[in-house]
Amino acid sequence: MRYEKFSDIRQAVSACENCKLCETRKNTVFGEGSVHADVMFIGEGPGAVEDELGRPFVGPAGQLLEKMLASIGLSRSDVYIANIVKCRPPFNADPLPQYAEKCMPYLRSQIAFIRPKVLVLLGKVPTRFILGEEGSMSSLHGKIFRKGAFYIMPTYHPSALLRSENLKRPAWEDLKALRRLLDDISGV
Ligand code: URA
């Protein structure tokens, strides 16, 4: 599907009934941030707070993501934040592959419009669906992959950092590497 305007993708998402997640969602969660962003952060799918408010990463994981961004001099309005699936999987389960596959065209269209230079994949779900990598996050996090025009870095999902204090140090190393990459790209 080709969209004329970015807002056409949002409209298609809000009316989407391509999978069963539409039956239980309160709101679709399209994504938000700058459409001119150099970097896009991609999560799994909305949780309860996101479903309630129709905005990505606004619950506890989102608060941590904001702190992570701030630690490298970024705010939500400097980046674009989206998810693999736009509707909340019940019980916060990982989105099933059949739902993710139905939803991926929306994310691909968002990426095609925004044309970020860097994709940061938050956790194993986006790492599997965007990079096709099935390995553990402990082996993939912080590595910079090149795919087409994009630099792609998987890192830990903020929810994982909320559960495991000992992941915070490696996640901080990833953020510093991301900062260096963004500086290199922009010639700072
Ligand atoms: N977790 C995600 O992966 N995405 C959100 O938007 C919120 C929590």
Side-chain angles (χ1 to χ4, degrees):
M1 176 78 182
R2 282 192 71 81
Y3 299 94
E4 289 281 307
K5 301 193 291 313
F6 195 64
S7 58
D8 293 343
I9 318 171
R10 180 190 290 277
Q11 213 156 31
V13 166
S14 67
C16 183
E17 295 186 345
N18 288 349
C19 84
K20 278 171 88 74
L21 296 184
C22 71
E23 293 169 11
T24 47
R25 74 181 176 220
K26 289 187 181 155
N27 286 292
T28 54
V29 178
F30 178 67
E32 68 182 30
S34 168
V35 291
H36 306 294
D38 277 345
V39 55
M40 191 160 169
F41 286 76
I42 301 172
E44 306 176 352
V49 188
E50 290 78 15
D51 182 44
E52 198 68 53
L53 300 178
R55 297 179 55 207
F57 280 99
V58 284
Q63 284 161 19
L64 179 56
L65 179 61
E66 280 182 29
K67 285 191 195 151
M68 292 160 67
L69 292 174
S71 74
I72 54 166
L74 296 172
S75 69
R76 288 179 78 100
S77 57
D78 295 318
V79 305
Y80 197 89
I81 303 175
N83 281 304
I84 294 288
V85 293
K86 310 302 193 208
C87 297
R88 182 188 182 206
F91 314 112
N92 290 345
D94 282 357
L96 295 172
Q98 62 265 39
Y99 301 154
E101 272 147 28
K102 288 256 164 67
C103 217
M104 279 292 288
Y106 296 128
L107 180 63
R108 285 199 199 97
S109 300
Q110 286 172 297
I111 294 172
F113 263 90
I114 296 170
R115 299 204 293 138
K117 298 185 173 106
V118 182
L119 304 176
V120 178
L121 309 180
L122 299 169
K124 64 178 169 28
V125 171
T127 300
R128 181 185 321 133
F129 285 103
I130 292 188
L131 213 46
E133 291 282 348
E134 300 277 354
S136 66
M137 282 315 293
S138 59
S139 64
L140 293 168
H141 80 92
K143 290 193 175 146
I144 298 170
F145 295 80
R146 198 77 214 261
K147 202 171 172 186
F150 305 107
Y151 293 96
I152 306 184
M153 181 196 279
T155 189
Y156 292 102
H157 192 287
S159 300
L161 305 181
L162 288 172
R163 287 191 301 268
S164 309
E165 190 64 28
N166 60 347
L167 297 180
K168 286 197 171 144
R169 169 59 55 183
W172 169 232
E173 296 302 327
D174 295 354
L175 285 168
K176 286 193 289 185
L178 172 63
R179 180 71 266 172
R180 283 194 297 275
L181 176 64
L182 292 173
D183 289 345
D184 281 353
I185 288 170
S186 60
V188 172

PDB file of all heavy atoms in Angstrom, residues 43-47 50 56-57 61 83 157, ligand 1:
ATOM      1  N   GLY A  43       9.567  -0.276  19.544  1.00  0.00           N
ATOM      2  CA  GLY A  43       9.243  -1.225  20.607  1.00  0.00           C
ATOM      3  C   GLY A  43       8.414  -2.387  20.080  1.00  0.00           C
ATOM      4  O   GLY A  43       8.329  -2.604  18.863  1.00  0.00           O
ATOM      5  N   GLU A  44       7.790  -3.103  21.016  1.00  0.00           N
ATOM      6  CA  GLU A  44       7.031  -4.297  20.630  1.00  0.00           C
ATOM      7  C   GLU A  44       5.593  -3.935  20.288  1.00  0.00           C
ATOM      8  O   GLU A  44       5.130  -4.120  19.169  1.00  0.00           O
ATOM      9  CB  GLU A  44       6.998  -5.277  21.809  1.00  0.00           C
ATOM     10  CG  GLU A  44       8.359  -5.614  22.324  1.00  0.00           C
ATOM     11  CD  GLU A  44       8.309  -6.515  23.554  1.00  0.00           C
ATOM     12  OE1 GLU A  44       7.218  -6.765  24.101  1.00  0.00           O
ATOM     13  OE2 GLU A  44       9.389  -6.976  23.950  1.00  0.00           O
ATOM     14  N   GLY A  45       4.906  -3.422  21.295  1.00  0.00           N
ATOM     15  CA  GLY A  45       3.504  -3.088  21.123  1.00  0.00           C
ATOM     16  C   GLY A  45       3.034  -2.376  22.365  1.00  0.00           C
ATOM     17  O   GLY A  45       3.710  -2.398  23.393  1.00  0.00           O
ATOM     18  N   PRO A  46       1.875  -1.728  22.280  1.00  0.00           N
ATOM     19  CA  PRO A  46       1.385  -0.937  23.403  1.00  0.00           C
ATOM     20  C   PRO A  46       1.089  -1.795  24.630  1.00  0.00           C
ATOM     21  O   PRO A  46       0.653  -2.939  24.503  1.00  0.00           O
ATOM     22  CB  PRO A  46       0.076  -0.327  22.868  1.00  0.00           C
ATOM     23  CG  PRO A  46       0.030  -0.619  21.405  1.00  0.00           C
ATOM     24  CD  PRO A  46       0.991  -1.697  21.106  1.00  0.00           C
ATOM     25  N   GLY A  47       1.327  -1.220  25.809  1.00  0.00           N
ATOM     26  CA  GLY A  47       0.870  -1.817  27.054  1.00  0.00           C
ATOM     27  C   GLY A  47      -0.444  -1.151  27.470  1.00  0.00           C
ATOM     28  O   GLY A  47      -1.068  -0.437  26.682  1.00  0.00           O
ATOM     29  N   GLU A  50      -0.541   2.754  27.332  1.00  0.00           N
ATOM     30  CA  GLU A  50      -0.490   3.207  25.932  1.00  0.00           C
ATOM     31  C   GLU A  50      -1.846   2.974  25.249  1.00  0.00           C
ATOM     32  O   GLU A  50      -2.328   3.825  24.494  1.00  0.00           O
ATOM     33  CB  GLU A  50       0.614   2.455  25.174  1.00  0.00           C
ATOM     34  CG  GLU A  50       2.031   2.829  25.585  1.00  0.00           C
ATOM     35  CD  GLU A  50       2.521   2.200  26.884  1.00  0.00           C
ATOM     36  OE1 GLU A  50       1.877   1.230  27.356  1.00  0.00           O
ATOM     37  OE2 GLU A  50       3.536   2.675  27.439  1.00  0.00           O
ATOM     38  N   PRO A  56       2.566   5.983  22.315  1.00  0.00           N
ATOM     39  CA  PRO A  56       3.574   4.949  22.600  1.00  0.00           C
ATOM     40  C   PRO A  56       4.434   5.310  23.811  1.00  0.00           C
ATOM     41  O   PRO A  56       4.711   6.490  24.054  1.00  0.00           O
ATOM     42  CB  PRO A  56       4.445   4.961  21.337  1.00  0.00           C
ATOM     43  CG  PRO A  56       4.375   6.380  20.862  1.00  0.00           C
ATOM     44  CD  PRO A  56       2.978   6.858  21.193  1.00  0.00           C
ATOM     45  N   PHE A  57       4.836   4.303  24.527  1.00  0.00           N
ATOM     46  CA  PHE A  57       5.817   4.453  25.613  1.00  0.00           C
ATOM     47  C   PHE A  57       5.478   5.606  26.561  1.00  0.00           C
ATOM     48  O   PHE A  57       6.263   6.538  26.722  1.00  0.00           O
ATOM     49  CB  PHE A  57       7.239   4.615  25.024  1.00  0.00           C
ATOM     50  CG  PHE A  57       7.842   3.291  24.607  1.00  0.00           C
ATOM     51  CD1 PHE A  57       7.811   2.888  23.276  1.00  0.00           C
ATOM     52  CD2 PHE A  57       8.419   2.446  25.542  1.00  0.00           C
ATOM     53  CE1 PHE A  57       8.340   1.664  22.884  1.00  0.00           C
ATOM     54  CE2 PHE A  57       8.952   1.217  25.160  1.00  0.00           C
ATOM     55  CZ  PHE A  57       8.915   0.831  23.830  1.00  0.00           C
ATOM     56  N   ALA A  61       7.675   1.841  31.342  1.00  0.00           N
ATOM     57  CA  ALA A  61       8.802   1.642  30.421  1.00  0.00           C
ATOM     58  C   ALA A  61       9.086   2.930  29.650  1.00  0.00           C
ATOM     59  O   ALA A  61      10.235   3.268  29.367  1.00  0.00           O
ATOM     60  CB  ALA A  61       8.509   0.498  29.445  1.00  0.00           C
ATOM     61  N   ASN A  83       6.007   1.244  17.344  1.00  0.00           N
ATOM     62  CA  ASN A  83       5.993  -0.160  17.772  1.00  0.00           C
ATOM     63  C   ASN A  83       5.774  -1.086  16.580  1.00  0.00           C
ATOM     64  O   ASN A  83       5.268  -0.664  15.545  1.00  0.00           O
ATOM     65  CB  ASN A  83       4.836  -0.377  18.755  1.00  0.00           C
ATOM     66  CG  ASN A  83       5.155   0.104  20.151  1.00  0.00           C
ATOM     67  OD1 ASN A  83       6.147  -0.320  20.748  1.00  0.00           O
ATOM     68  ND2 ASN A  83       4.323   0.996  20.677  1.00  0.00           N
ATOM     69  N   HIS A 157      15.043  -3.786  25.930  1.00  0.00           N
ATOM     70  CA  HIS A 157      13.776  -3.077  26.098  1.00  0.00           C
ATOM     71  C   HIS A 157      13.772  -2.441  27.495  1.00  0.00           C
ATOM     72  O   HIS A 157      14.222  -3.080  28.451  1.00  0.00           O
ATOM     73  CB  HIS A 157      12.620  -4.071  25.962  1.00  0.00           C
ATOM     74  CG  HIS A 157      11.286  -3.412  25.837  1.00  0.00           C
ATOM     75  ND1 HIS A 157      10.657  -2.798  26.891  1.00  0.00           N
ATOM     76  CD2 HIS A 157      10.464  -3.251  24.765  1.00  0.00           C
ATOM     77  CE1 HIS A 157       9.500  -2.295  26.473  1.00  0.00           C
ATOM     78  NE2 HIS A 157       9.365  -2.555  25.190  1.00  0.00           N
TER      79      HIS A 157
HETATM   80  N1  URA B   1       6.333  -1.341  25.485  1.00  0.00           N
HETATM   81  C1  URA B   1       6.454  -1.283  24.142  1.00  0.00           C
HETATM   82  O1  URA B   1       7.115  -2.109  23.528  1.00  0.00           O
HETATM   83  N2  URA B   1       5.847  -0.285  23.512  1.00  0.00           N
HETATM   84  C2  URA B   1       5.136   0.660  24.139  1.00  0.00           C
HETATM   85  O2  URA B   1       4.610   1.568  23.475  1.00  0.00           O
HETATM   86  C3  URA B   1       5.036   0.579  25.532  1.00  0.00           C
HETATM   87  C4  URA B   1       5.636  -0.442  26.194  1.00  0.00           C
END
